[in-house]
Amino acid sequence: MEVVLLENAIEISRAVSSIIIETVRKKPAAVLGFATGASPVETYKRLIEAYEKGLVSFRDVTTFNLDEYCGLPREDKNSYYYFMKENLFSKAGFDFSKVNFLSGDPEEGESCCEEYGKKIAAAGGIDIQLLGVGTNGHIGFNEPSDSFSDGPFKVRLAESTINSNSKYFTERPMPAYAFTMGVGDIMRAKKILLIATGESKAKAVYSMVKDPVTPHCPASILRNHPDATIFIDRESAKLL
Ligand code: GLP
């Protein structure tokens, strides 16, 4: 695992977006794994800017998002589908027929999980997986547990995740369950880029980089990946 320390979130977004843009320019039909949350938002802005300037086309790119809340339809403002549509897909010329998402439907969602894993494999695997990290070390919605997951599954969210994310739910309570790609799906990506900024991530960053690899800090497994880079700022690097 490579650790890149940069001054702030803007510098990180420049570095991460350049890697994505370069990859897509070399391979226009690249498969990109995207993440939600505050961490990738600046990077998405840089991708939109590059698209607007005609520096890159995402038209042939296939995407797989990491996770979705259970019980939120796509049109719900809190769904991750809505988030991606607003923050990237509709503004950077993505082809929605190549956008893949886990279903948030409580019934359909579980049966879609297996299919989602197969779809990733059929697309040739993920070229770049973008990640954030939870304050408890989660990646996607893989919460700390006694073992690492493999394929996509339904997860009960940790108390700390509900505490961190419920600020976004102003009109309804935050769902207690979600569907997520498994740790195995993430680890099968050819390249992984993780963004962690701000003091609230300092503990997770320390565990990820320094503690032994353990499913109690799911992000620590990235140390076993041959091409994973974590981008941190001064605040999230504070405990290192
Ligand atoms: C969320 C998402 C993750 C995200 C993480 C950090 O719960 N499921 O994919 O990386 O938590 O979020 P943020 O970037 O807002 O700190």
Side-chain angles (χ1 to χ4, degrees):
M1 177 204 269
E2 194 187 343
V3 180
V4 176
L5 171 64
L6 293 172
E7 202 57 44
N8 52 42
I10 299 291
E11 275 194 28
I12 291 175
S13 72
R14 288 200 186 107
V16 174
S17 60
S18 308
I19 297 170
I20 296 172
I21 291 163
E22 257 335 287
T23 300
V24 175
R25 286 172 68 160
K26 281 196 200 123
K27 184 180 176 185
V31 180
L32 302 179
F34 283 125
T36 50
S39 305
V41 169
E42 282 301 324
T43 296
Y44 294 158
K45 285 187 192 161
R46 303 285 91 74
L47 296 182
I48 295 166
E49 280 167 14
Y51 162 77
E52 284 172 345
K53 287 182 187 155
L55 301 174
V56 65
S57 165
F58 296 106
R59 193 189 50 213
D60 298 325
V61 164
T62 296
T63 73
F64 289 90
N65 256 79
L66 276 172
D67 43 18
E68 183 55 283
Y69 286 110
C70 174
L72 298 194
R74 288 184 161 188
E75 28 328 317
D76 191 296
K77 289 207 163 88
N78 282 116
S79 79
Y80 281 162
Y81 182 88
Y82 191 92
F83 175 98
M84 288 305 301
K85 192 171 77 147
E86 291 300 301
N87 285 286
L88 182 63
F89 295 149
S90 65
K91 297 180 174 144
F94 282 80
D95 174 352
F96 277 84
S97 71
K98 296 189 176 75
V99 164
N100 296 285
F101 247 85
L102 282 156
S103 166
D105 185 289
E107 263 107 68
E108 188 189 72
E110 263 177 295
S111 57
C112 281
C113 284
E114 204 185 324
E115 205 183 296
Y116 201 67
K118 285 185 186 155
K119 238 177 161 181
I120 296 172
I126 292 171
D127 292 305
I128 298 183
Q129 177 63 57
L130 186 59
L131 294 176
V133 63
T135 50
N136 63 0
H138 76 218
I139 43 177
F141 268 137
N142 288 274
E143 301 286 23
S145 77
D146 292 335
S147 58
F148 288 113
S149 59
D150 184 17
F153 67 108
K154 182 178 181 178
V155 62
R156 186 181 170 85
L157 299 173
E159 210 51 53
S160 59
T161 301
I162 295 178
N163 290 340
S164 304
N165 290 9
S166 48
K167 60 177 178 285
Y168 299 118
F169 287 80
T170 50
E171 284 162 24
R172 47 149 48 244
M174 181 179 151
Y177 288 86
F179 297 99
T180 183
M181 267 189 208
V183 170
D185 297 311
I186 294 169
M187 289 295 279
R188 282 186 282 275
K190 289 159 203 157
K191 184 189 227 13
I192 296 177
L193 307 173
L194 183 147
I195 300 173
T197 57
E199 205 179 339
S200 67
K201 302 292 170 71
K203 242 182 101 208
V205 165
Y206 181 90
S207 298
M208 177 167 42
V209 176
K210 297 277 189 196
D211 283 340
V213 173
T214 163
H216 294 285
C217 174
S220 65
I221 199 162
L222 301 182
R223 299 230 294 276
N224 295 342
H225 192 280
D227 188 3
T229 308
I230 70 160
F231 294 84
I232 55 178
D233 66 354
R234 299 212 168 269
E235 288 169 8
S236 66
K238 220 171 147 182
L239 302 175
L240 292 181

